[in-house]
Amino acid sequence: ASNVEVLHWWTSGGEAAALKVLKENLEGQGVTWSDMPVAGGGGSSAMTALRARVTAGNPPTAVQMLGFDIKDWAGEGVLGNLNDVASAEGWDKVVPPALQFFSKHEGNWIASPVNVHSTNWVWINKSILDAAGGKAPTTWEELVSLLDAMKKTGVTPLAHGGQAWQDATIFDAVVLSLGDDFYKASMIDLDPAVLGGEKMVEAFNRMATLRSYVDDNFSGRDWNLASAMVINGEAGMQMMGDWAKGEFLRAGKKPGEDFVCIRFPGTQGAVTFNSDQFVMFDIKEGTDAQKKMASAVMDPAFQSVFNVVKGSVPARTDVPDTDFDDCGKKGMADLSDAAKNSRLFGSMAHGHSVPASIKNAIYDVVTAHFNGEYDAKTAAKELVNAVEAAQ
Amino acid sequence: MASLTIDNLHKSYGNVDVLKGIDIEIEDGGFLVLVGPSGCGKSTLLNTIAGLEDITDGDIRIGKQSVSGLAPSKRDIAMVFQSYALYPNMTVAENISFGMEVRGVAKAERNAAIERVADILQIGQLLDRKPAQLSGGQRQRVAMGRALVRDPQVFLFDEPLSNLDAKLRVDMRTEIKRLHQRMGTTIVYVTHDQIEALTLASKIAVLKDGLLQQFGTPAEIYDNPVNMFVADFMGSPSMNLLEATIVASDDGLAASLATGTTAPVLLPIDKQENISGYLGKSVILGIRPEALTDPSGADQASEQIIERECLIDVVEPAGSDTFAVLQLGGKQAIARLRANAKVQTGQTTSLAFDMAKVVFFDPDTTNRIL
Amino acid sequence: MASLTIDNLHKSYGNVDVLKGIDIEIEDGGFLVLVGPSGCGKSTLLNTIAGLEDITDGDIRIGKQSVSGLAPSKRDIAMVFQSYALYPNMTVAENISFGMEVRGVAKAERNAAIERVADILQIGQLLDRKPAQLSGGQRQRVAMGRALVRDPQVFLFDEPLSNLDAKLRVDMRTEIKRLHQRMGTTIVYVTHDQIEALTLASKIAVLKDGLLQQFGTPAEIYDNPVNMFVADFMGSPSMNLLEATIVASDDGLAASLATGTTAPVLLPIDKQENISGYLGKSVILGIRPEALTDPSGADQASEQIIERECLIDVVEPAGSDTFAVLQLGGKQAIARLRANAKVQTGQTTSLAFDMAKVVFFDPDTTNRIL
Amino acid sequence: MNQSVSASSATHGNRMIRALIYASLILFAIYYLLPLYVMVINSFKPLEEIRGGGMMNLPQQWTIDSWLTAWSSAQIGVKPTGLKPFFINSILMVVPAVLLSTFLGALNGYVLTKWKFRGHGIVFGMLLLACFIPFQIVLIPMARILGILDLAGTTAGLVLVHTVYGLGFTTLFFRNYYDAFPTELVRSAQIDGASFFQIFRRILLPNSAPIFVVTIIWQFTNIWNDFLFGASFADFDSIPMTVALNNLVNSSTGVKEYNVHFAGSILAALPTLIVYIVSGRYFVRGLMAGSVKG
Amino acid sequence: MVDRLREWVPRLVLAPSFLLILVFVYGFILYSGYLSMTNSRMLPSNDWIGVANYVKLFKLKHWNTALINLGLFGFLYIAISSCLGLLLAILLDQKIRAEGVLRPIFLYPMALSFIVTGTAWKWFLDPGIGIEATMHAWGWESFQFNWIKDRSMAIYTVVIAAVWQSSGFVMAMFLAGLRGVDTEILKAAEMEGASKFRIYRKIVIPMMRPVFLSAFVVLAHLAIKAYDLVIALTGGGPGRATELPATFMYSYTFTRNQMGVGASSAIIMLVMIFSIIIPYLYSEMKSGDSK
Ligand SMILES: Nc1ncnc2c1ncn2[C@@H]1O[C@H](COP(=O)(O)OP(=O)(O)OP(=O)(O)O)[C@@H](O)[C@H]1O
Ligand SMILES: Nc1ncnc2c1ncn2[C@@H]1O[C@H](COP(=O)(O)OP(=O)(O)OP(=O)(O)O)[C@@H](O)[C@H]1O
Ligand SMILES: [Mg+2]
Ligand SMILES: [Mg+2]
């Protein structure tokens, strides 16, 4: 029997349950599943393990991977080729080009995308929102005044966890809220003039403004503890990717009734995303199993089931949204709109706009600024330096 | 300087009685040596005097003052330990002056005291060394210096020489003797060494199992042991303790000793008061090796030399003396002969018994008869 | 049983020479005792014989066979260590039979051997105990048992008795002597103890700094030491080594010894061959404490007893003897008197010098003159 | 050794001071126990109660569900197996690695003290320096070598890795211990005709219990708790406990069940905890016997 | 012939360990040295670029932060652990009845890994939910302890947790040392009237020198490897305030795909470690030999 060994970091209850669907699907086709989870650090532990395994000449069959990691590994020439399956199943048509950018290397399919997380979400506690005026903000100014209003009611307006990736997640949204072009020029094209420009200073100023609504104990806090603050009514809102929804649902909260999900004000219609994909390593035996797995990953039914559980949206745009909740439906609609309008951008914070080295360099500056080490001007200047040093 | 009185001293650890009522009194300037087999409580007694161990019952007085309950440092005593117990991290000078430093003596005074002690013990050139850089004998001197510098009422020594080799031991022993003569301080001294005990002591206390066996001058202990334990314990080689039967002979009573091969040896007994009750019974006859010797080496001053032919089993020439082992009273008896005595293994030779030195013990009670 | 020949033996650790050419030959059944100050190389010599240390140069032969390069277990020797080196995890029986077990001797044979040895040493009742449950003397016996059971050509003993207390030491010493007489095996024995060396040895080798100082019978070493080192080293208390000047007197040559207070003591010298060259010069006069004694205690056999009045500094009664310290030839001389000699500190008394026992040394070379 | 400085404190000691000593000891005990307290009490709370805050409060509602979950049904990857199966993996890895490294350390200590040869000091120095190498730098080359040896992803490979990097400390421990071990015993055995290995097995080993305790505790703790090597060199069928625990605790975008995490953490630490508590006394004794050099 | 073999047996026995160490430690160090001179990014490469990585490394602000932190952390951690360990050992050595209970309490943290205890410590130190909140809840409103959130103080919380973990082990070492002190020395000092405090200060503690050195080895090795601790407790934050060379090296090698820089940081770190440890070992072995 053929076998796939899958390296991934989906170990929490919901994630693993979602993955189980895939596993059972494969087992139905006679492909056994060897599970190799390595959690921690948003996949960085898994990537370390992967490096060790590849160096040892013992790579796993399939690996969960994000954004530029895929391209980096492809550059090393160690990945398999999925063109057969892709062309047979017409992936080119159903996967948005922004995702294909990561799923293909030199024109060949090397990965099958599972999901799309969009990261420019804001999660608001409904009752606090009502107490503070009741209207979801659509512009930066409205956001600020809502935060002010929330502050008056005595809650922490913005729940946030002070970890580099969380800081950067907000930063993504703030940059995007200053314009699609600005996001593209700074976060994707890394144009030094833009990175150090006036608008970037403005972006950092906005970060500082947001920082002023965060309680003093934010640093080091896990994102889900921040979510818990919103859930428990200690905080008004959290800016976090769509995975946060799971925490709300899990706590028995209903979208629309107990909490509302909106796009970060000023980014409506645009989506920053990250997409988990399964990469197939180039190994002698098991190409058949790999193909079966790739195809199973792209199975619309699986994509639906998986993403309902995971809180993300399918990577395919042709999956019906019937099983999704309000936020999910909204997410799917947003995604296909954004894809259509070319307003779908890889998230810098989640490794989909620049390679890891640059991403981390940007993290350093954003975090330093958010923790008050730099003022906005210095931060912009440092951003240019850091990006240059990492290139 | 002060006298030391130990009065019905008891000491137990939990329910183990280690000292079971010790009474000792030593005069001001006396030199008390404690001897006894290992584990008999010598160190414990010393520690109670020092105040390092509580006492269970009884009293200890230095001079007129009871010291029970007083902290060690308040008792005005100094102690020298077997391991020397030098502070390894301090120089010799610091070791000597540590106690003064603790008591807040001024630096100048401390230095003067160090110098004085260093002079007495001739360790002036060692003052800056650490203990690890000293030889055994030097360490011993420093340990003494640390005690001397305190100029205490009583010195306590716990086997101070037993870590030295034989030669050094002899030298240091003489030195301690001389120090004592010079300073005149009361000393309590524990040792395993016979010679040390006999040469140094003004009084010896023999302990066994936490009980005082005999307390007296070295001569009393050596010549007139009160029981077989003391007789056997003191002296090296030990006193020969031989089985004898009291018989009546022409000159009055005599002790008859079995020999291995020939007829029994018959030794007339002069002092007949108490022994007469043992006529026909067995007794233990004690004779020290030096009282059983070759005729030409026998004490000319003694009036009770009796010569008998004996069969020599083993001859051990030992330089200054020759030891001969013979079968007597069912035991191996040791005779101490002159170095150049002409004896040979397996030969019969004439030996002189100094009957003035002979003692008798009751075999049942083990106590002295005469 | 076999003779042992040590031929120009050299041993160095790195560039430290520890043994610098030792030549010793001991006949089959001989008892060689190695003595010397600490660090002189005694243990090293023993270890090279055992094969525990390689030799740098020279040769060692047991019987006719050179054993250099042979593993310890192939040399047919047995060794008893100062610390006894009993295997703490094994019972006495296992300790004794370990060597046989290693060599694959059958169980029945092993048991027979254990029994035989236990019989000889009277340790039958200890066979099932662990070493920790034994007293010092018992451990010593077991250690000997372990050596005995091998029935080797040569026994090696490294200070086997020095961990025992004085009393036990005497007993065990006699026992070893008796064992040697019974088994007749060649023995090499290291000790610090004078008496042990003199009583046990058939030959003594005195070492100093890796060099052989003298090799001879105990009597030779004791009575005719070749140099001052040997004279001083052997015997306890040591030989008195006193500064004297050779002067001409009525009866021929005499040695003049300074005293602390009174006029010099003048001792006529009988044997005058070599000493005459020293007329008017200083020499070292050696006289053992037992040759300097109270007149009634002096050797009646000696023809050269000279009596002189001397001032006594210190008196040390030591039970079997009394030691007197006097000022002589600028040194503290020790005289050994009878136990009941009537001497007192600070008094002048007549002492007998046994001139037949006196030896002279050249103060420059430290070698013996006569 | 049975007598401390306080020998006579009963006589002259001061009640106040003793009270103070006890008070400070208890304060320190609290400092050491607090994290464990936090872990234990929170492991008995339902998740809602933890979300509600009050980490230090006792549970209002006690439950052992999280313990059961952590042990047998928590999601570690795709399968809801709990930590149970990984426990076996860890044991399979730890036991041989501890035994091997301890045994090699004992042999090394034996050679380095009783069979010195020219250059033994340098060899020992090199072994000792190896204690200080940061493990991060060996990951990649180690992976390569494991690949070459065909041990990649196997328990045997992990055993090799842990053995190698434990050698420094085990050798140090045994060297210090055997340094104080009477050489005369070895010589005596040599004369008895025992071979190199016989001496080791019959004389040294039976008398090394104290240092074995120290070494085994040390190695067991370090290897059991290792995460880096486990995550990097294990395969799906050799994942050790710590990696599984990490998977349970450190998932990035899932819901965090803190009560289960804590229960799992304690479960994962249980073997080492037990080892410490059971053999703590021997541990101090062993350190004493090893003349506390290491 | 047989005896020649006998001479070689010890060396043969040592050989496997020695070879293992030679390859797996020293070989790997050399390899890292080589990598640090290459343009390796995600996987090792052979692209030789000389010392460029080192130049880059020392331009990085975090690297300097990491070095300073290691100095600060290492010093405080070793000093406090030693002092606390010694203090606890001394306290426990006062004939404490409950010693059997207390000792394992002090010792057990060594048995836990920081994956395990990190979260507990993080919570405990978190002002919002931990000790500060609890104190507030208990009515001590002015109590403040927010170091873990404070950029300039966070490194000290790492010290607190690290000390918690290993001071018990140090305590055990000191306890063993104290129990080994010759009782006659203590008696001698007591006879001289020295107070207990002075006996410890002037005599016992100076005698613990070898234990201090051993504790140093154990603690230094733990300080250098303090990776889990920082990751679990602060994740290197707030900002990058608690970055240590170990976390720096890991992140550059494995998450930032700048393996060359990571390797160069490893080499610098090793050079620093060895320059402290080798003189120590040398003196230790010297004094050990002379004994
Ligand atoms: N702290 C203690 N607790 C219980 N028993 C003790 C203690 N100290 C000593 N003993 C016991 O008290 C007895 C006397 O011991 P002590 O040390 O006084 O003997 P000793 O005469 O000095 O012996 P040695 O000649 O061997 O030094 C011994 O049996 C010993 O086991
Ligand atoms: N392994 C060694 N390396 C270097 N020097 C050594 C070694 N073993 C012994 N020595 C030196 O060799 C000399 C002789 O040592 P040995 O042990 O033979 O003396 P010893 O006569 O037995 O002394 P003791 O009477 O103290 O037992 C000493 O100076 C010692 O320091
Ligand atoms: Mg004693
Ligand atoms: Mg020796």
Side-chain angles (χ1 to χ4, degrees), chain A residues 309-339:
Chain A
V309 178
K310 183 82 172 72
S312 47
V313 300
R316 300 175 71 115
T317 45
D318 60 346
V319 176
D321 67 359
T322 39
D323 293 336
F324 289 80
D325 61 35
D326 287 356
C327 289
K329 288 192 168 108
K330 181 164 155 46
M332 288 176 75
D334 286 354
L335 180 67
S336 63
D337 285 355

Side-chain angles (χ1 to χ4, degrees), chain C residues 45 47 50 57 62 79 85 102 112 183 186-187 192 201 210 252 269 281 300 307:
Chain C
L45 178 53
N47 287 339
D57 198 8
I62 294 178
M79 187 156 173
V102 164
M183 327 277 286
T186 311
I187 290 182
H192 266 120
I269 306 169
K281 292 196 196 151
Q300 264 84 53
E307 290 189 24

Side-chain angles (χ1 to χ4, degrees), chain A residues 15-27 33 296 299 301-306 309, chain D residues 78:
Chain A
E15 295 165 339
L19 206 52
K20 209 169 143 209
V21 178
L22 181 60
K23 174 182 176 235
E24 275 158 9
N25 181 343
L26 283 174
E27 276 169 358
W33 175 287
D299 177 16
F302 164 71
Q303 294 235 331
S304 172
V305 175
F306 180 91
V309 178
Chain D
V78 214

Side-chain angles (χ1 to χ4, degrees), chain B residues 43-314:
Chain B
S43 297
T44 306
L45 180 54
L46 217 57
N47 285 339
T48 57
I49 299 173
L52 294 168
E53 300 277 359
D54 298 332
I55 63 180
T56 310
D57 197 8
D59 195 15
I60 297 172
R61 286 189 296 280
I62 294 178
K64 299 238 164 317
Q65 194 203 355
S66 164
V67 294
S68 316
L70 229 53
S73 56
K74 302 273 155 58
R75 297 186 176 199
D76 206 359
I77 46 180
M79 187 155 172
V80 176
F81 295 88
Q82 176 173 359
S83 66
Y84 313 140
L86 299 181
Y87 311 129
N89 52 305
M90 301 186 192
T91 64
V92 167
E94 286 164 349
N95 260 287
I96 292 177
S97 63
F98 179 69
M100 287 187 286
E101 198 190 324
V102 165
R103 289 190 305 277
V105 174
K107 179 122 185 128
E109 202 174 322
R110 273 174 8 221
N111 286 343
I114 295 172
E115 216 156 287
R116 180 174 58 83
V117 167
D119 248 21
I120 297 175
L121 295 169
Q122 300 170 334
I123 49 173
Q125 75 291 0
L126 306 177
L127 289 175
D128 291 329
R129 299 216 201 145
K130 292 273 176 78
Q133 298 164 311
L134 301 178
S135 74
Q138 291 171 332
R139 282 180 213 184
Q140 217 287 326
R141 262 168 226 268
V142 175
M144 299 232 301
R146 201 169 57 180
L148 274 183
V149 79
R150 304 194 51 186
D151 204 4
Q153 302 267 37
V154 179
F155 278 117
L156 306 177
F157 288 84
D158 195 351
E159 310 195 27
L161 305 182
S162 60
N163 281 355
L164 301 180
D165 71 23
K167 283 223 109 55
L168 252 173
R169 201 141 64 204
V170 173
D171 295 348
M172 289 306 298
R173 190 220 305 161
T174 316
E175 196 144 334
I176 289 177
K177 177 108 189 179
R178 199 166 287 135
L179 266 174
H180 178 240
Q181 284 173 354
R182 182 167 156 186
M183 327 277 285
T185 314
T186 312
I187 291 181
V188 184
Y189 189 105
V190 172
T191 182
H192 266 117
D193 187 304
Q194 307 296 323
I195 308 275
E196 247 170 77
L198 292 166
T199 53
L200 291 175
S202 68
K203 285 284 178 57
I204 293 179
V206 184
L207 298 181
K208 182 188 168 197
D209 291 343
L211 286 172
L212 186 63
Q213 300 292 312
Q214 187 169 1
F215 176 60
T217 63
E220 279 163 17
I221 302 271
Y222 193 80
D223 294 330
N224 297 309
V226 297
N227 59 28
M228 281 167 63
F229 172 77
V230 175
D232 182 57
F233 190 79
M234 288 308 291
S236 169
S238 319
M239 180 182 273
N240 298 301
L241 293 171
L242 312 169
E243 272 174 39
T245 315
I246 304 298
V247 295
S249 79
D250 308 345
D251 320 340
L253 293 182
S256 160
L257 294 158
T259 60
T261 46
T262 52
V265 170
L266 222 64
L267 300 172
I269 305 168
D270 221 19
K271 0 168 203 172
Q272 301 190 345
E273 306 103 66
N274 296 322
I275 200 82
S276 47
Y278 287 84
L279 183 61
K281 293 196 196 149
S282 253
V283 294
I284 300 291
L285 179 150
I287 183 167
R288 296 227 174 250
E290 67 270 19
L292 177 54
T293 180
D294 53 315
S296 74
D299 190 353
Q300 263 83 57
S302 171
E303 283 140 34
Q304 294 189 295
I305 303 289
I306 294 170
E307 291 190 23
R308 292 283 182 275
E309 292 293 306
C310 299
L311 178 70
I312 305 300
D313 266 9
V314 180

Side-chain angles (χ1 to χ4, degrees), chain C residues 24 178 316 338 352 366:
Chain C
I24 292 177
R178 198 166 289 132
E316 296 191 324
R338 332 214 112 218
T366 78

